[in-house]
Amino acid sequence: MTNLQRWLFYAALFAVPYLSLVLGTVQTQLTTKYFLFVQLLPVLLLGLFGIYSVWTVLYRTFTFNDCPQAAKELQAEILEARKDLIAKGFRFRD
């Protein structure tokens, strides 16, 4: 099962009962009492998903780990590449 199929399945699990309530196929006493809430449920879920997304991005940004050893290795590789290019006749501006 691909991710697309999985998310379509989840959407169907939400959409079928939601649409049956909104279109009036299924009527219960709770549905008539809280019909406005049922109608606004997708907007509420979308807002909660947005808050979760912002929280996740900010959390992972602030807890990002530095790799000083990898940075030193990268700087050494850059110097080696510069020396190799200079040996081949390339001129740097700086």
Side-chain angles (χ1 to χ4, degrees):
M1 179 180 280
T2 65
N3 277 339
L4 174 63
Q5 291 171 335
R6 185 180 319 144
W7 283 106
L8 288 176
F9 176 70
Y10 294 151
L13 283 178
F14 173 76
V16 169
Y18 174 76
L19 289 175
S20 67
L21 289 173
V22 171
L23 296 176
T25 308
V26 176
Q27 287 189 353
T28 63
Q29 190 173 2
L30 280 173
T31 306
T32 55
K33 189 175 181 181
Y34 298 109
F35 190 66
L36 179 63
F37 177 74
V38 171
Q39 286 179 324
L40 294 177
L41 189 60
V43 176
L44 176 69
L45 291 176
L46 187 63
L48 288 174
F49 178 72
I51 291 169
Y52 169 76
S53 298
V54 167
W55 171 258
T56 302
V57 168
L58 288 175
Y59 174 76
R60 291 187 179 173
T61 300
F62 290 133
T63 60
F64 187 76
N65 294 333
D66 291 336
C67 301
Q69 183 179 1
K72 289 178 185 176
E73 289 177 13
L74 184 60
Q75 290 295 329
E77 289 176 10
I78 291 172
L79 287 175
E80 182 181 334
R82 278 182 160 250
K83 290 177 186 176
D84 186 44
L85 286 172
I86 290 171
K88 290 182 180 180
F90 186 81
R91 288 184 176 173
F92 290 100
R93 286 187 229 168
D94 48 25

